[in-house]
Amino acid sequence: GQNIDQPTEMTATEGAIVQINCTYQTSGFNGLFWYQQHAGEAPTFLSYNVLDGLEEKGRFSSFLSRSKGYSYLLLKELQMKDSASYLCAVRRGGGNKLTFGTGTQLKVEL
Amino acid sequence: DVKVTQSSRYLVKRTGEKVFLECVQDMDHENMFWYRQDPGLGLRLIYFSYDVKMKEKGDIPEGYSVSREKKERFSLILESASTNQTSMYLCASSPGNQETQYFGPGTRLLVL
């Protein structure tokens, strides 16, 4: 079966760093995605990890440990516009099916 | 830029009606997907398609069917709408098996 856990809500201060964790238990793991979704909008792609380690993209970084079934999304120099829901999604098997976590609602405050 | 469009942003239907949700992508993607998104449950896969006229069930296919007659268009059909199908429906497409999915803006369906 598939089980993906991420915190429901987080609050952070503008300019700070925040880490959003995602743990998964899934058969046929074949990569992990992070998406950002603003209220009322479509999810947009942030990052993809298939091998262990850190992937950096500007203010956003994502880390994966396959042996631990663990990933995190790191957001640096937080801005108000980063207030959104962050979705962790795991790809299963050889196709492109994704299983999503329920999302972490991040609120950035002044 | 990849563009995925959905036929309606908001839709109100009555219980028992047949409902068609249309999704079109303009990037010649092979793969297309239909999800529903509900508070506390996240995105759940209803159906997907890897090619024209091909379809496979996702995690929650009950009460839904799909059609893919052309590569760019993937339709979700609610044969007889029920109130528990009130939800946000999101369509997505991707060019290959190792690529991210690109999402449409979503259709918020209310079944009365």
Side-chain angles (χ1 to χ4, degrees), chain A residues 55-96:
Chain A
E55 295 281 341
E56 296 188 78
K57 253 190 195 182
R59 293 190 301 115
F60 291 18
S61 303
S62 58
F63 171 83
L64 175 67
S65 168
R66 288 172 297 171
S67 63
K68 295 181 180 175
Y70 168 68
S71 174
Y72 66 73
L73 180 69
L74 195 70
L75 291 77
K76 303 175 189 173
E77 300 169 15
L78 279 172
Q79 303 174 10
M80 298 299 288
K81 68 178 182 180
D82 297 330
S83 292
S85 183
Y86 291 85
L87 312 178
C88 171
V90 171
R91 174 157 53 207
R92 312 166 261 161
N96 206 19

Side-chain angles (χ1 to χ4, degrees), chain A residues 2 30 33 35 37 40-45 48 50 87 91-92 94-103, chain B residues 9 31 33 35 37 40-43 45 48 50 57 59 88 90 94 96-101 103-105:
Chain A
Q2 294 85 33
N30 190 20
F33 291 85
Y35 288 85
Q37 186 178 25
E41 297 183 11
T44 55
F45 170 73
Y48 170 62
V50 65
L87 312 178
R91 174 157 53 207
R92 312 166 261 161
N96 206 19
K97 291 195 300 185
L98 299 180
T99 299
F100 283 82
T102 53
Chain B
R9 289 303 301 270
N31 307 319
F33 308 84
Y35 296 89
Q37 186 173 31
L41 295 177
L43 276 83
L45 181 64
F48 61 102
Y50 289 147
K57 293 179 180 179
D59 299 315
M88 169 69 88
L90 288 160
S94 72
N97 286 343
Q98 299 299 322
E99 299 282 343
T100 185
Q101 295 181 15
F103 285 84

Side-chain angles (χ1 to χ4, degrees), chain B residues 8-69:
Chain B
S8 307
R9 289 303 301 270
Y10 301 94
L11 211 51
V12 180
K13 295 292 181 180
R14 297 217 172 266
T15 301
E17 280 192 78
K18 191 169 186 175
V19 182
F20 292 87
L21 302 182
E22 304 284 339
C23 175
V24 178
Q25 49 92 6
D26 66 357
M27 289 301 293
D28 201 36
H29 287 174
E30 287 83 14
N31 307 319
M32 297 189 74
F33 308 84
W34 274 107
Y35 296 89
R36 60 179 285 177
Q37 186 173 31
D38 301 287
L41 295 177
L43 276 83
R44 292 178 291 165
L45 181 64
I46 304 171
Y47 265 97
F48 61 102
S49 169
Y50 289 147
D51 202 351
V52 175
K53 296 195 185 293
M54 175 271 178
K55 59 186 178 185
E56 285 195 35
K57 293 179 180 179
D59 299 315
I60 51 163
E62 297 78 19
Y64 303 94
S65 62
V66 290
S67 172
R68 192 160 182 207
E69 295 296 317

